[in-house]
């Protein structure tokens, strides 16, 4: 996964930011820097994006005691946990690397990841190929990407004992948002979006803004502004070639996870974009499936301190 693919380049050129994108490309590597090794060791969670056994893209979260993310080598990340059965990527990640037949070898799951620390507004993206390794995953990395702290809301966390036990977890599936889920999205200040290239290389990205930045246009249609960023357009570049996408909305105060899968497109219409403060483009997301998992996470988070970079919501 070296360099930009032609979808990313097309979006960079249409946005008039090809020069900046060329400069930003220096932040993309394939090894984890030593300072990032220590950062990952401190994290209690990592966001993961990937494709399920039906070809649908989802984003989710894996949690563990700090130290569950380790770096046995500069090109490798070890995640010391697996998703629970209710997770939309559970089957794929639990079975990643399993032999699929005589002589077939090991079938890795291509995933995108974000290690994010809201308390310090630090984050890093990692994309690679995961295989089952005992009770966890070993990920051979293709991309390691430094990201800026823009649009991250500051939060502190604490674990709640027994909050994510198997007995407490439950999942509800649907094909559209309930009124309560619509309210969650309208009030959201953060979500994560997973995409993939046509070749299947996955990516996961953070999106943040003031509450109201996500618009619920109908029970099956969302819209959000695309703000000024690093000009790489890894997410929009994937969508240029492959519209499949997945969203994960964390329940910061409840531990409930809201997962959406469907398709997304970039809206470039200048008049429409101008109605959204700070927006450079818009993204519309059409929902095909919803999964809400209660007691998905043992983590609880404090009320947010909003990023000073957040534009006002429309």
């Amino acid at each position: 996964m070296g360099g930009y693919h032609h979808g990313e380049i097309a979006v960079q050129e249409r946005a008039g930011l090809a020069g900046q994108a060329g400069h930003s490309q220096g932040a993309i590597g394939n090894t984890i820097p030593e300072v990032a090794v220590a950062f990952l060791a401190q994290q209690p969670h990592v966001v993961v994006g990937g494709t399920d056994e039906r070809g649908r893209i989802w984003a989710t979260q894996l949690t563990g005691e700090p130290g569950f993310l380790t770096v046995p080598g500069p090109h490798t990340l070890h995640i010391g946990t697996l998703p629970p059965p209710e997770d939309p990527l559970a089957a794929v990640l639990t079975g990643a690397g399993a032999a699929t037949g005589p002589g077939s070898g090991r079938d890795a799951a291509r995933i995108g990841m974000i290690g994010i620390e809201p308390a310090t507004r630090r984050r890093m993206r990692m994309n690679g190929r995961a295989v089952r390794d005992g009770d966890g995953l070993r990920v051979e990395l293709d991309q390691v990407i430094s990201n800026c702290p823009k649009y991250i809301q500051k939060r502190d966390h604490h674990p709640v004992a027994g909050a994510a036990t198997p007995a407490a977890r439950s999942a509800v599936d649907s094909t559209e948002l309930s009124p309560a889920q619509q309210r969650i999205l309208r009030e959201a200040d953060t979500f994560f979006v997973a995409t993939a290239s046509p070749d299947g290389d996955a990516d996961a990205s953070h999106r943040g803004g003031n509450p109201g930045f996500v618009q619920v246009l109908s029970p099956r249609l969302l819209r959000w502004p695309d703000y000024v960023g690093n000009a790489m357009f890894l997410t929009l570049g994937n969508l240029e070639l492959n519209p499949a996408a997945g969203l994960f909305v964390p329940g910061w105060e409840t531990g409930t996870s809201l997962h959406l899968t469907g398709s997304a497109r970039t809206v470039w219409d200048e008049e429409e974009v101008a109605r959204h403060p700070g927006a450079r483009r818009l993204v519309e997301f059409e929902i095909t499936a919803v999964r809400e998992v209660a007691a998905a996470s043992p983590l609880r988070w404090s009320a947010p301190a909003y990023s000073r970079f957040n534009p006002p919501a429309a």
Side-chain angles (χ1 to χ4, degrees):
M1 292 174 63
Y4 296 124
H5 62 60
H6 62 277
E8 293 159 344
I9 293 170
V11 176
Q12 293 161 6
E13 291 177 345
R14 182 164 185 176
L17 295 171
Q20 184 180 339
H23 176 74
S24 296
Q25 190 171 358
I28 304 176
N30 62 1
T31 60
I32 298 179
E34 192 61 36
V35 65
V37 174
F39 168 75
L40 291 168
Q42 297 168 355
Q43 304 315 310
H45 67 139
V46 64
V47 173
V48 176
T51 303
D52 73 6
E53 62 278 12
R54 294 171 55 184
R56 302 175 300 181
I57 295 180
W58 299 90
T60 191
Q61 175 182 239
L62 301 178
T63 63
E65 292 291 330
F68 88 110
L69 299 176
T70 58
V71 181
H75 299 276
T76 306
L77 176 72
H78 189 269
I79 303 174
T81 192
L82 293 167
E86 296 83 1
D87 191 281
L89 290 177
V92 166
L93 295 183
T94 301
T100 57
S104 62
R106 298 172 67 81
D107 187 16
R110 286 186 276 187
I111 63 173
M113 298 163 288
I114 304 178
I116 185 165
E117 187 173 66
T120 61
R121 295 193 168 105
R122 292 189 294 169
R123 59 179 160 174
M124 64 178 297
R125 286 158 81 171
M126 299 161 286
N127 301 330
R129 292 151 288 124
V131 297
R132 175 80 176 265
D133 186 7
D135 292 329
L137 296 165
R138 187 181 76 252
V139 188
E140 298 301 326
L141 300 171
D142 298 312
Q143 289 184 325
V144 178
I145 305 162
S146 301
N147 278 157
C148 74
K150 281 184 178 179
Y151 318 121
I152 298 177
Q153 326 316 334
K154 186 174 182 179
R155 285 179 164 92
D156 294 305
H157 77 276
H158 66 277
V160 177
T165 62
R169 282 195 304 268
S170 61
V172 176
D173 291 320
S174 64
T175 57
E176 63 179 31
L177 297 168
S178 69
Q181 291 166 343
Q182 293 178 48
R183 184 169 62 253
I184 288 170
L185 283 157
R186 290 190 176 102
E187 296 174 354
D189 58 57
T190 301
F191 68 90
F192 298 88
V193 54
T195 58
S197 74
D199 294 330
D201 294 317
D203 179 72
S205 183
H206 164 275
R207 291 292 183 269
N210 285 336
F213 88 110
V214 180
Q215 294 181 301
V216 180
L217 303 182
S218 79
R220 295 188 63 185
L221 187 63
L222 307 178
R223 176 189 285 169
W224 62 83
D226 190 61
Y227 297 139
V228 172
N230 54 25
M232 294 179 184
F233 295 111
L234 304 186
T235 297
L236 299 193
N238 280 344
L239 295 178
E240 184 78 3
L241 305 177
N242 176 15
L247 272 57
F248 162 59
V249 186
W252 300 108
E253 299 175 355
T254 65
T256 295
S257 293
L258 182 59
H259 309 271
L260 315 175
T261 190
S263 61
R265 70 181 187 94
T266 305
V267 178
W268 297 89
D269 181 84
E270 293 182 1
E271 290 186 7
E272 191 64 38
V273 171
R275 299 189 181 101
H276 297 74
R280 295 297 184 267
R281 294 146 295 274
L282 304 173
V283 179
E284 288 190 351
F285 178 77
E286 185 173 356
I287 297 165
T288 57
V290 178
R291 175 167 294 184
E292 183 173 332
V293 183
S297 170
L299 302 176
R300 301 294 183 269
W301 300 77
S302 63
Y306 296 118
S307 170
R308 64 185 178 87
F309 296 101
N310 290 351

